[in-house]
Amino acid sequence: MSPSRRLDPQPTLATVAERAGVSRQTVSNALNSPELLREDTLARVQAVIEELGYTPNRAARQLRTRSSHLIGLRFEPAQEGTSNALIDRFVHTLVEATARTGHHIVLFSGDPHDPLDGYDRLLKATAVDAFVITDTYAGTPQADFLRKVGAPFVTFGRPWDDPSARHPWVDVAGSKGAQLATEHLLAAGHQRVAWLGWEKSSRIGEDRRSGWSRALRAAGVDQAGLGVRISDNVDAARMAAHAMLEDGTVTGVACVSDTIAIGVLHALAERNLRPGTDVGVTGFDDSLGAQVAWPGLTSVRQPLEQVAIEVVDLVHAVLSLRAPAEPARMLEPTLVVRRSSLRQD
Amino acid sequence: MSPSRRLDPQPTLATVAERAGVSRQTVSNALNSPELLREDTLARVQAVIEELGYTPNRAARQLRTRSSHLIGLRFEPAQEGTSNALIDRFVHTLVEATARTGHHIVLFSGDPHDPLDGYDRLLKATAVDAFVITDTYAGTPQADFLRKVGAPFVTFGRPWDDPSARHPWVDVAGSKGAQLATEHLLAAGHQRVAWLGWEKSSRIGEDRRSGWSRALRAAGVDQAGLGVRISDNVDAARMAAHAMLEDGTVTGVACVSDTIAIGVLHALAERNLRPGTDVGVTGFDDSLGAQVAWPGLTSVRQPLEQVAIEVVDLVHAVLSLRAPAEPARMLEPTLVVRRSSLRQD
DNA sequence: ACGGTCGCCTGGATCGATCCAATACTAAAG
DNA sequence: CTTTAGTATTGGATCGATCCAGGCGACCGT
């Protein structure tokens, strides 16, 4: 009598079979190998499935086939101010891309001091089929561990430490992005384009820097004193920018991150210099901050949607045990031009 | 001979039982009802579990107990520019909070035009135990649907349309946040504090506006012409701010979102007015944008970490069929003060 | 020493879909 | 009209943990 209490028990495969006048296996085939059934039988079974609103029980299927159709992703605790917004954009598209094949993303967490924590548990419980790993910049202990235990995984991020690693990965050529940004600033007429990057210990930072360096070399610009390394926060960038702009010869600054670029914009505001017109600035990652910063920050945008699609494709390849066409895929970023790098008429 | 090919088959409950010289049920009890076992038996079983590194197979357990220990969350496609960064911060803490009880968050997606899409599928496949719903501002068709089919769920967001709804929810008092911001601006000496809000159709927007209104009323300030409604983007806000600042009587602007507040900051820059000193500005949500905006944007911060904890607590209450102590929980936001609302000495 | 109570432990049945081997059917060939 | 080949369909067994009803032992009082 209480309507929200309990609903009709879910129909099972047996229910459908009985109703359609066939055996369980036939219903199973209708779902998994429809080509095995005669046309009329298939139609009849499908009609009953439709009528009853039947959906296979995931637990039962998972028990039998030993595959959960779940993909694990360790979701790190939010670090205020850092650009995990990037990861979030990636996850969004990852969810969409997996949906198409009936897979789902399961988030888990782990001890922040132990990069391996959490993987083992899910694996032994046969709770997930594969993992997606997003942070490869600090070495790849997870990848090493998963390879050792024979668990399928794909990383977003190349294996920096071990170029010989054979696992499938997708990454974006950061150096190409920095190169695009630098070339763009040079083309806008800025001669001496400086670089504001991360500390030398960052592989990603050094990779991006190499793109800046390459562009300057191609343009025949002397890089002496133009490359500066700082930590990733607005204030450090602001102060570095002040020092850099002191003598007035630097008129372009390519930055390793939007955060740092925004710090440069702050310094410009404090010096009454016009972004774009007096000094061109570019950031990296096209974060929300770049979109709302005044007067709009030109930034390198990673094709995260495409990354997610490639990652999912590789996951499927690995799961189906077929060797992926190309297990290491490098994608190219694009430059989103806003007013921070454009002269006002 | 190929080490990464296949690993030892996972030990099962039967393996453990045999090794410990007890029956399967005894091992199961050791895991689920240890108080039923004699001390020495328990110790012996636990030792074997430890030794073999045994973890119960989730699929089998799920099939038998009909509970997956998974909680579904529909992850909407990234909408450029909107503050789904808020949701991401929420999800982070949600994952942490669920981890403590062995639950996991499963993300799924659905047709953007159909708010119900996806729920049904997971439910019928008995793939999740409960849902967490994050968007209740546009009515609550999901809640209605889930209540109808008897599925457990908790919403982040009050049931705006139907105050009589009895489902468990957690929300943050937006009106209180706007009130705090407005009082803060008044206390800083700004007399006429304007409101830049969303269109009237937004329940959340109107709720926040009511907090501004309440604060002005308490301070005895006439609100005529001070409340303006626009859509949520930087440019609309910039233009509205210009109009608003024209006559020079408005010296404080409380905004319904960081995006809009940033638009106001842009307008100030264009009019050569100093944020905080000439015109006080506050935003809402303490997004990354607020943190990096020049010269720092005072913003209302929602206690998302606490929200996540309360949501998980309610989920557990609902799943264990015990009535939650308080099924409707309203939390209070805080104000993060930065320089956009402070006079420079 | 014996029946009774209580608590620990056992083996069989079960959840629902899939695997597997075997059977019923159909159509073509002899 | 029977045999053969091949396909469509069936029923039993299975994945691994939990539910359930019953058994066995220890310990008590008399």
Side-chain angles (χ1 to χ4, degrees), chain A residues 22-26 36-37 41 63-64 66:
Chain A
V22 298
S23 76
R24 304 189 316 274
Q25 178 65 28
T26 303
L36 290 180
L37 295 198
T41 313
L63 176 59
R64 189 68 245 232
R66 311 181 148 281

Side-chain angles (χ1 to χ4, degrees), chain B residues 154-158 168-172 307 310-311 314 327 329 331:
Chain B
V154 175
T155 69
F156 171 19
R158 70 199 85 169
W169 57 262
V170 181
D171 204 354
V172 177
V307 171
E310 302 277 348
V311 164
L314 285 174
R329 306 184 182 178
L331 305 182

